[in-house]
């Protein structure tokens, strides 16, 4: 049964064209060169392997700019930079509004110590404190008229001065502090004339210190004089008190 069909097939193929071979439906392939008349195409082979990739093509033209994206997340805070150079001083600003008036403060205590005294009669006794009994000022009672001495009650710096009328005898007067002569004054009497002698000094005193005037030397130098028209005075006062 198979053999008659094969014979028929061989008879039919040359009638359609002895010079061409079909590759597929509707496609005719030329017969190979040198082929014999009446050749028969074989069964198609398996597909070949893929060839190696070709070279990259040229870059294309840049595309249009895209839309702006959303802001990214805030990054961590960076390290503090170095201090910059000081800038130029700016113009002076306008005055501000005055502040509120403050509360009244406590009044400061003022330390006071002062005296001014004078003689009422002539001095005839040397080497003892001169008792000035005419009181011009002694409000704090720091001067003692019974002894002729000033008593320090406030430590600080004091100013002392004296003005002596010289008459009948020479005068040698010294200012004492704590049994030590601090200042000396000498004036020679001119016969039939009234003379003047004076002195002044700054002294720092502690509480309990005493200051006074007295005639020094022998008995011929006690010409310290005073009457109703001539005065001999002794004055002292606190300049400023110690703060510690």
């Amino acid at each position: 049964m198979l053999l008659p069909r094969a014979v028929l097939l061989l008879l039919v193929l040359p009638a359609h064209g002895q010079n061409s071979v079909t590759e597929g439906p509707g496609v005719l392939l030329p017969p190979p060169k040198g082929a014999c008349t009446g050749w028969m195409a074989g069964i198609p082979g398996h597909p070949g392997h893929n060839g190696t990739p070709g070279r990259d093509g040229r870059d294309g033209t840049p595309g249009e700019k895209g839309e702006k994206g959303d802001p990214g997340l805030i990054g961590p805070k960076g390290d503090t930079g170095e201090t910059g150079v000081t800038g130029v001083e700016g113009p002076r600003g306008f005055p501000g509004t005055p502040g509120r008036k403050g509360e009244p403060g406590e009044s400061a205590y003022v330390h006071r110590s002062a005296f001014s005294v004078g003689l009422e009669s002539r001095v005839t006794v040397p080497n003892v404190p001169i008792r000035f009994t005419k009181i011009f000022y002694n409000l704090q009672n720091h001067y003692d008229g019974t002894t002729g001495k000033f008593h320090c009650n406030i430590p600080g710096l004091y100013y002392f001065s004296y003005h002596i009328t010289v008459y009948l005898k020479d005068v040698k007067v010294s200012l004492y502090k704590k049994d030590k002569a601090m200042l000396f004054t000498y004036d020679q009497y001119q016969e039939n004339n009234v003379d003047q002698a004076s002195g002044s000094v700054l002294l720092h005193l502690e509480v309990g210190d005493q200051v006074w005037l007295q005639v020094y030397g022998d008995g011929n130098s006690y010409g310290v004089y005073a009457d109703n028209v001539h005065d001999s005075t002794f004055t002292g006062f606190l300049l400023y008190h110690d703060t510690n």
Side-chain angles (χ1 to χ4, degrees):
M1 189 70 180
L2 295 174
L3 182 60
R5 289 181 179 181
V7 174
L8 292 174
L9 179 60
L10 293 174
L11 293 175
V12 173
L13 288 172
H16 288 283
Q18 296 180 350
N19 297 326
S20 62
V21 179
T22 59
E23 180 183 17
V27 180
L28 296 178
L29 297 176
K33 295 181 180 181
C36 296
T37 305
W39 68 278
M40 184 176 179
I43 300 171
H46 296 287
H49 297 289
N50 294 333
T52 58
R55 294 181 297 177
D56 293 339
R58 295 180 180 178
D59 295 336
T61 58
E64 295 181 359
K65 184 177 179 181
E67 296 180 359
K68 185 176 181 180
D70 296 330
L73 299 177
I74 298 176
K77 184 178 180 180
D79 297 333
T80 303
E82 298 181 357
T83 304
V85 180
T86 304
V88 180
E89 182 178 357
R92 184 174 182 179
F94 295 103
T97 55
R100 293 184 300 173
K101 185 177 180 180
E103 299 293 334
E106 297 181 359
S107 59
Y109 179 77
V110 179
H111 296 272
R112 293 183 175 90
S113 179
F115 73 95
S116 183
V117 292
L119 278 179
E120 292 184 308
S121 61
R122 179 183 175 190
V123 174
T124 58
V125 182
N127 300 316
V128 295
I130 301 174
R131 294 174 59 239
F132 294 86
T133 56
K134 182 187 292 186
I135 306 300
F136 299 114
Y137 180 87
N138 192 27
L139 187 60
Q140 293 81 33
N141 291 317
H142 293 169
Y143 172 79
D144 186 356
T146 61
T147 62
K149 296 181 178 181
F150 169 78
H151 296 264
C152 175
N153 289 268
I154 303 171
L157 185 67
Y158 287 79
Y159 174 79
F160 294 97
S161 66
Y162 50 88
H163 178 84
I164 302 299
T165 298
V166 180
Y167 185 59
L168 298 177
K169 293 285 184 178
D170 296 342
V171 166
K172 293 181 180 180
V173 175
S174 57
L175 184 142
Y176 278 76
K177 169 190 171 183
K178 295 174 57 176
D179 296 323
K180 181 180 179 181
M182 306 298 295
L183 187 66
F184 296 90
T185 299
Y186 171 73
D187 186 83
Q188 187 175 14
Y189 170 67
Q190 303 294 327
E191 189 174 357
N192 298 324
N193 190 20
V194 176
D195 205 356
Q196 308 291 330
S198 61
S200 61
V201 67
L202 286 173
L203 294 177
H204 181 271
L205 302 182
E206 302 289 346
V207 174
D209 288 349
Q210 297 177 345
V211 178
W212 68 91
L213 284 177
Q214 73 179 40
V215 173
Y216 69 92
D218 54 30
N220 294 323
S221 301
Y222 52 86
V224 179
Y225 184 80
D227 58 20
N228 59 340
V229 293
H230 299 90
D231 283 306
S232 292
T233 61
F234 181 33
T235 299
F237 54 86
L238 174 68
L239 284 178
Y240 55 85
H241 70 282
D242 292 345
T243 55
N244 51 3

